[in-house]
Amino acid sequence: MSTANKKLSSARLTQPTDKFVEEFTASVMFDQRMFRQDIRGSIAHATMLSEVGVLTGEERDQIIKGLQQIEQEIENGDFEWSIAQEDVHMNIEARLISLIGEVGKKLHTGRSRNDQVATDVRLYLRDMIAPIRSELNRLQDALLEVAEREADTIMPGFTHLQTAQPVTFGHHMLAWYEMLVRDAERLDDCEKRVNTMPLGAAALAGTTFPIDRAMTANLLGFDRICQNSLDAVSDRDFAIEFNSFASILMMHLSRFSEELIIWSSAQFDYVDLGDAFCTGSSIMPQKKNPDVPELIRGKTSRVYGNMFNLLTLMKNQPLAYNKDNQEDKEPLFDTIDTLLGSLRVYADMMSAISVKADNMRESALRGYATATDLADYLVRKGTPFRDAHEVVGLSVAYGLKHKKDLSAMSLEELQQFSSQIEADVFDVLTLEGSVAARNHLGGTAPEQVRAAIKRARSSRS
Ligand code: ARG
């Protein structure tokens, strides 16, 4: 990166900036990724300036042509970024002036880097929300597909990670799906506030030129305009809000990951994640490690860290713009990258997952998962719930002693604990009977799983 070009903002200073300070204060190393948004913003600004008579049509055309050429140069890797020009904005402006001469110097009329950078960050984030939403949707679709395939597959449902009641694997997948629905809603909601335009606030107080902010907003596809110039240049709450959406989503992915890691252990052996999503060990030949979910669980901490970073960045800043705000970009970009990568690999992984239904079933049978069903059965026969609870507790103790599941006991064995138990008890003691009986909205019955998938698909299309 060169430091050769003449600085755009240094006339007031009589001494050159210290070399290290120049590097220390520069942001071009990380904000150059916003070059498209910076150019788009400048083109809209120049267009508006010509409409209100601050630039001539010819000046506007020269500026736009220059900016388009610069965009090409950057796309082609032919652009020389310079630390001396500090950031993406001044690098592009300096290049514009070297390309088209004096006219290039007019672009910054009625604008400041303060409203420019706030606009660029919002445009960049808006551009990245689109692929994030589509990866999130792809993951949702993958979950619906697994849920549909496994609507009848029975696994133990857990509380305290102890076998509680049987559930269908499809139902379990839909629990994750629901979390993602809320995440998608949070993203939509956050996007409204991201898509609000600061441009026109200039340095902090607005500008003396007769700008038309509605026109610029329209050209840039902003739905709303920041209503106060001081607020427009200074707040980064939209970035914090996005990061908070991202933190909650990563928390969900981390929970999913934890389950996948447990389920792919030899002790559980409920799922196969597919070799493409696992790695071997350099020393233990038998290993197949669930690296992808582990790494996503780990990456959740980065996103939380970025959240704390952004909140702390803002907490003591007086109005309006402060250089502190340059520090918003790296955590925000890191969150965007982490989220996009995590969603992408998750969607792929869930499309490839295979389920070991026999192992799940066997494990549900081992844990007295239908004990509640027996208690409910007794209540229906007239036993008060507390007494029923005790009868079942005694039956389970008997089963543990004789190594027998409730459904494997004879009618006589069960009747030792309650005379109200009859032959129809076996309908509720089977895993299939147990899940099928929970047949109401939000319940685990296969019929409900299918209905929920249908609802989900119709609300998404
Ligand atoms: N690189 C700066 C940032 O990221 C751009 C705005 C600089 N404005 C200023 N007055 N120094 O925030």
Side-chain angles (χ1 to χ4, degrees):
M1 208 170 285
S2 109
T3 55
N5 304 356
K6 184 176 172 296
K7 272 196 196 305
L8 287 182
S9 61
S10 60
R12 182 219 183 279
L13 308 176
T14 47
Q15 301 292 315
T17 317
D18 175 273
K19 268 278 148 270
F20 181 67
V21 170
E22 190 171 273
E23 262 175 54
F24 187 75
T25 53
S27 56
V28 63
M29 309 74 91
F30 49 81
D31 65 17
Q32 55 179 267
R33 68 154 86 185
M34 304 191 300
F35 75 92
R36 290 189 193 88
Q37 291 74 21
D38 193 71
I39 288 173
R40 213 189 304 158
S42 290
I43 290 177
H45 181 65
T47 305
M48 181 277 291
L49 287 181
S50 78
E51 293 296 321
V52 299
V54 173
L55 292 180
T56 66
E58 199 183 312
E59 288 168 335
R60 172 202 58 207
D61 292 346
Q62 273 180 272
I63 288 173
I64 293 178
K65 205 164 150 249
L67 288 168
Q68 285 168 339
Q69 179 176 336
I70 293 170
E71 186 165 17
Q72 265 317 307
E73 289 175 1
I74 302 174
E75 298 277 8
N76 299 341
D78 294 337
F79 189 90
E80 204 185 328
W81 296 101
S82 142
I83 296 265
Q85 297 299 354
E86 197 179 317
D87 55 26
V88 61
H89 326 291
M90 294 208 290
N91 267 269
I92 290 175
E93 198 183 331
R95 176 69 184 138
L96 182 70
I97 293 166
S98 81
L99 265 180
I100 66 169
E102 290 301 299
V103 182
K105 295 181 181 167
K106 296 190 174 185
L107 169 63
H108 211 50
T109 313
R111 183 177 80 169
S112 153
R113 270 188 300 153
N114 297 352
D115 59 342
Q116 187 178 358
V117 68
T119 303
D120 289 4
V121 175
R122 284 169 184 267
L123 284 176
Y124 181 80
L125 181 52
R126 189 185 76 188
D127 287 350
M128 297 310 288
I129 283 176
I132 286 171
R133 180 180 288 116
S134 85
E135 290 301 325
L136 178 55
N137 289 342
R138 212 161 61 80
L139 173 55
Q140 289 180 292
D141 288 339
L143 290 179
L144 289 182
E145 238 160 75
V146 183
E148 188 166 48
R149 206 167 61 223
E150 310 295 342
D152 298 287
T153 303
I154 292 177
M155 67 181 285
F158 299 97
T159 61
H160 313 269
L161 203 55
Q162 309 285 320
T163 299
Q165 292 171 355
V167 294
T168 51
F169 192 77
H171 191 56
H172 197 110
M173 287 290 126
L174 291 180
W176 293 1
Y177 178 83
E178 284 296 314
M179 296 175 219
L180 297 182
V181 168
R182 293 192 296 276
D183 288 321
E185 285 173 7
R186 270 184 281 272
L187 181 62
D188 289 347
D189 198 50
C190 150
E191 191 182 27
K192 289 185 215 151
R193 283 173 288 278
V194 170
N195 201 22
T196 305
M197 187 190 76
L199 204 61
L204 76 165
T207 172
T208 55
F209 294 96
I211 57 170
D212 182 344
R213 298 185 71 204
M215 184 189 298
T216 327
N218 193 30
L219 289 168
L220 291 171
F222 279 112
D223 294 330
R224 298 193 281 193
I225 298 171
C226 298
Q227 300 290 303
N228 179 290
S229 62
L230 297 166
D231 174 43
V233 290
S234 63
D235 210 348
R236 297 293 183 265
D237 58 354
F238 66 91
I240 296 175
E241 200 176 335
F242 173 80
N243 209 118
S244 116
F245 142 79
S247 301
I248 297 175
L249 174 49
M250 287 303 289
M251 176 274 291
H252 286 149
L253 292 187
S254 184
R255 292 183 70 188
F256 300 173
S257 297
E258 177 72 8
E259 294 201 328
L260 293 178
I261 293 161
I262 294 174
W263 292 350
S264 46
S265 68
Q267 287 69 19
F268 272 74
D269 202 17
Y270 286 2
V271 295
D272 188 336
L273 289 182
D275 290 358
F277 301 92
C278 297
T279 60
S281 156
S282 55
I283 176 168
M284 296 165 285
Q286 84 283 14
K287 292 291 286 279
K288 175 170 160 182
N289 296 326
D291 284 39
V292 168
E294 286 176 281
L295 201 52
I296 284 171
R297 193 175 56 184
K299 281 184 187 293
T300 304
S301 65
R302 294 172 78 103
V303 175
Y304 289 5
N306 294 336
M307 181 78 205
F308 204 63
N309 187 335
L310 289 167
L311 279 169
T312 313
L313 174 67
M314 295 312 297
K315 76 180 271 289
N316 286 341
Q317 283 196 51
L319 290 174
Y321 176 86
N322 301 286
K323 183 76 168 178
D324 311 42
N325 278 352
Q326 183 164 291
E327 286 287 307
D328 64 351
K329 285 163 208 65
E330 286 168 292
L332 179 63
F333 296 163
D334 186 67
T335 290
I336 291 170
D337 296 344
T338 305
L339 199 58
L340 207 46
S342 302
L343 286 169
R344 178 181 158 177
V345 74
Y346 230 98
D348 292 344
M349 184 172 67
M350 291 314 293
S351 305
I353 197 172
S354 57
V355 167
K356 301 183 176 176
D358 292 347
N359 294 352
M360 289 188 190
R361 189 167 205 293
E362 192 202 320
S363 134
L365 283 173
R366 255 184 283 132
Y368 297 93
T370 57
T372 315
D373 297 84
L374 179 55
D376 288 353
Y377 168 88
L378 287 166
V379 169
R380 282 195 296 275
K381 297 265 171 181
T383 313
F385 183 78
R386 272 298 145 220
D387 294 342
H389 191 279
E390 190 181 336
V391 167
V392 180
L394 293 170
S395 315
V396 168
Y398 174 89
L400 284 169
K401 190 163 161 212
H402 296 88
K403 296 197 180 356
K404 265 189 190 173
D405 183 64
L406 295 173
S407 62
M409 292 179 199
S410 68
L411 184 58
E412 291 69 37
E413 279 177 303
L414 287 165
Q415 281 172 337
Q416 303 172 76
F417 309 105
S418 166
S419 57
Q420 289 189 306
I421 297 178
E422 294 167 67
D424 60 354
V425 73
F426 294 104
D427 297 342
V428 305
L429 289 185
T430 62
L431 297 174
E432 285 73 15
S434 171
V435 294
R438 288 167 170 79
N439 193 9
H440 54 77
L441 185 101
T444 195
E447 200 180 315
Q448 291 299 328
V449 171
R450 291 196 179 90
I453 294 169
K454 221 167 148 195
R455 279 198 304 275
R457 288 198 173 128
S458 70
S459 75
R460 304 258 321 283
S461 56

